[in-house]
């Protein structure tokens, strides 16, 4: 079946099968920042924005995205690069495999939460796994990026 979606501000018509997951469909379009990790909706590697909200693309069938706006890290390059500098400055960047999904989640957090406490940040990031860090560097980077001084 054919579906039309808007991927990173560009309308695209895709040929999908009823059992195709969005993570695979996006990777077939060359969006390799959308990664397959756990296959159980637990790691956050496949995070995209669907109509502006963080969504696990491994948990949504491609046809369900018809008519919707899909944003990957490629569509938020400047914002992602800005936050990546905070990550590097805090020593929070390790292998980078989880970074695209993690960064998309942080960018969404910035849009949705106003002056979040540390507990709010941790709760928002639930489901984004990193096997290289202890998360403390990431939390420092997020706080600096969001301009949060307390918490």
């Amino acid at each position: 079946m054919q579906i039309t979606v808007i991927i990173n501000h560009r309308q695209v018509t895709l040929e999908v099968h009823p059992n195709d997951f969005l993570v695979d469909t996006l990777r077939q379009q060359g969006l390799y920042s959308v990664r397959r990790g756990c296959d159980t909706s637990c790691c956050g590697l496949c995070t995209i924005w669907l109509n502006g909200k963080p969504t696990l693309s491994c948990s949504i069938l491609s046809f369900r995205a018809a008519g919707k706006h899909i944003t990957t890290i490629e569509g938020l390059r400047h914002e992602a690069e800005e936050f990546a500098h905070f990550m590097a400055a805090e020593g929070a960047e390790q292998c980078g495999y989880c970074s695209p999904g993690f960064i998309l989640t942080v960018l969404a957090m910035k849009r949705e939460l106003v002056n979040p406490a540390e507990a709010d940040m941790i709760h928002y990031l639930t489901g984004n796994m990193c096997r290289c860090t202890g998360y403390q560097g990431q939390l420092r980077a997020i706080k600096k990026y969001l301009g949060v001084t307390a918490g």
Side-chain angles (χ1 to χ4, degrees):
M1 77 181 75
Q2 284 192 339
I3 63 168
T4 301
V5 295
I6 298 171
I7 302 176
N8 297 327
H9 312 290
R10 189 173 58 98
Q11 185 171 315
V12 180
T13 300
L14 304 170
E15 184 68 36
V16 299
H17 294 97
N19 60 346
D20 288 349
F21 283 96
L22 193 53
V23 62
D24 300 315
T25 299
L26 293 172
R27 289 183 62 79
Q28 289 168 0
Q29 296 301 304
L31 298 165
Y32 299 119
S33 69
V34 184
R35 298 184 173 142
R36 181 177 285 287
C38 64
D39 288 329
T40 60
S41 304
C42 294
C43 72
L45 293 177
C46 67
T47 301
I48 59 162
W49 287 0
L50 194 60
N51 286 345
K53 298 287 184 191
T55 303
L56 299 174
S57 62
C58 74
S59 298
I60 186 167
L61 294 170
S62 297
F63 76 87
R64 297 251 184 227
K68 296 184 177 165
H69 292 259
I70 298 169
T71 307
T72 67
I73 201 164
E74 291 88 351
L76 295 166
R77 181 179 175 192
H78 297 295
E79 289 178 71
E81 286 177 357
E82 180 186 359
F83 178 64
H85 290 294
F86 283 86
M87 295 271 288
E90 292 302 321
E93 189 60 31
Q94 298 290 322
C95 79
Y97 195 69
C98 67
S99 294
F102 180 79
I103 291 172
L104 279 172
T105 302
V106 171
L107 297 179
M109 181 190 312
K110 183 178 183 179
R111 293 170 189 238
E112 291 183 30
L113 303 181
V114 177
N115 199 27
E118 185 174 295
D120 297 326
M121 292 179 218
I122 292 168
H123 178 74
Y124 200 96
L125 292 168
T126 300
N128 286 93
M129 295 182 64
C130 176
R131 291 181 171 95
C132 298
T133 69
Y135 296 104
Q136 292 308 306
Q138 292 172 333
L139 277 174
R140 285 191 309 270
I142 293 167
K143 288 176 185 178
K144 288 183 178 177
Y145 177 68
L146 298 178
V148 175
T149 54

